[in-house]
Amino acid sequence: MILRSLVFATLLAATPTLALAQSFPVTLEHAWGETTIDTEPKRIVTWGWGNEDAVIALGVTPVGIPFHAYGGGEDGIKPWIEEALAKVEGEKPTVLANGSEPAFEQIAALEPDLILAVFSGITEEQYALFSAIAPTVAYSGDAWSTPWQDVTTTIGKALGKADEAEALVAETTAWLEGEVAKHPALKEITFASANDYDGSIAVYAPLDARMKFLTDLGLTLDPSVAENAPDDGAFYYSLSYELFDSLKGDIFVTYYEEQSALDEWLAKSYAANYPPIVNGGLAALVGTENVAAVSPPSVLSLHWGFPTYLDVLATAAEKVTGQ
């Protein structure tokens, strides 16, 4: 935890505080059209996952953020956000009511002048309701698939901090690449990723933001992931237990909230006999907060959670390559 805090503080300190002012209005395109932001926003509400992370990393405190039951503890605030907000003076964000549906009345009461749902899955109807409250920026491309880099730069443009956002992405990327370079075995292996879910193996498809994050770092997604995927554009798909071994790869990446649950799964015959696991290629990230930090990551959560994730990935890669 000390290492995480030092990395977190160092990278935030490296974020430039001086840049040319961005002019308004600015117009941003997204899945549900385009949104024009006339003046620099002062009261920002976020919805979805990781949007407030980018806002806070860019030096702005939202007035409202979603309750995150996964990784957020009893107060719904993820630990890397708590650490960042502890360094900020002034009023802390209101945590919105816990629920899968947006708390529109509560959001309206906060009188936002901008709503950010850049990484989300909001429907067109929800977008219309958000837009009736304040200008709203939705996701681009497929729902729940926007890479952390695009989340950061899009939010930077919305806040009038485009240059700062680009610099933050560049600095974070350079740090990630430098850390991965310390483990050359990671560039020599292929990987696949899945979890046991609802009576089958839920495989993360190539367009999933978690997979995009790893391939951006230079890791290779095994071709079998795409070969087994249905052509439906989903970010995950199901494989029966009988077909589990058709999912290839040198290492197998999976996520579990508790070690006991992982141990129980590993005792299943289809897991115990799965070739990547037999060969020592199990890369299991355990712990709700650890998983939340990288599944998928944000520009803020990476500083907190990547060192642990990297250790898990590198250990598995080094076992299978003998390094």
Side-chain angles (χ1 to χ4, degrees), residues 15 21 62 84 105 125 139 148 207 218 225 234 268:
T15 304
E105 292 185 4
E125 180 182 2
Y139 58 90
W148 68 270
L207 61 78
V225 177
K268 306 290 186 182

Side-chain angles (χ1 to χ4, degrees), residues 1 60 64 107 125 140 166 171 175 177 181 229 235-236 250 261:
M1 189 64 71
V60 178
I107 291 170
E125 180 182 2
S140 297
E166 292 283 357
E171 290 161 358
W175 170 68
E177 291 175 347
F235 64 87
Y236 81 95
D250 298 310

Side-chain angles (χ1 to χ4, degrees), residues 64 129 141 143 146 154 159 175-176 218 220 233 313 321:
L129 292 171
T146 311
T154 299
L159 299 182
W175 170 68
L176 290 168
T220 300
L313 295 167
T321 61

Side-chain angles (χ1 to χ4, degrees), residues 96-216:
L96 302 172
N98 185 15
S100 58
E101 292 294 317
F104 291 108
E105 292 185 4
Q106 186 183 15
I107 291 170
L110 292 172
E111 299 181 341
D113 52 16
L114 178 64
I115 299 171
L116 294 170
V118 180
F119 189 94
S120 74
I122 62 171
T123 65
E124 188 172 13
E125 180 182 2
Q126 289 171 334
Y127 171 73
L129 292 171
F130 276 130
S131 297
I133 299 171
T136 300
V137 182
Y139 58 90
S140 297
D142 296 304
W144 302 113
S145 65
T146 311
W148 68 270
Q149 300 96 323
D150 293 345
V151 172
T152 306
T153 55
T154 299
I155 287 176
K157 292 173 184 175
L159 299 182
K161 294 177 176 286
D163 290 343
E164 293 96 319
E166 292 283 357
L168 183 57
V169 168
E171 290 161 358
T172 305
T173 299
W175 170 68
L176 290 168
E177 291 175 347
E179 293 301 300
V180 171
K182 297 175 183 177
H183 303 279
L186 287 169
K187 300 294 183 70
E188 299 179 12
I189 52 89
T190 64
F191 75 94
S193 182
N195 268 82
D196 196 336
Y197 176 73
D198 198 25
S200 64
I201 301 297
V203 183
Y204 299 112
L207 61 78
D208 182 86
R210 287 159 286 207
M211 304 302 97
K212 182 70 164 52
F213 169 62
L214 293 176
T215 56
D216 281 348

Side-chain angles (χ1 to χ4, degrees), residues 257-291:
E257 297 178 16
E258 297 177 353
Q259 185 64 43
S260 59
L262 173 61
D263 292 341
E264 181 179 349
W265 181 72
L266 290 173
K268 306 290 186 182
S269 60
Y270 50 85
N273 295 312
Y274 182 50
I277 294 177
V278 173
N279 295 333
L282 176 65
L285 185 63
V286 179
T288 304
E289 293 175 347
N290 290 331
V291 175

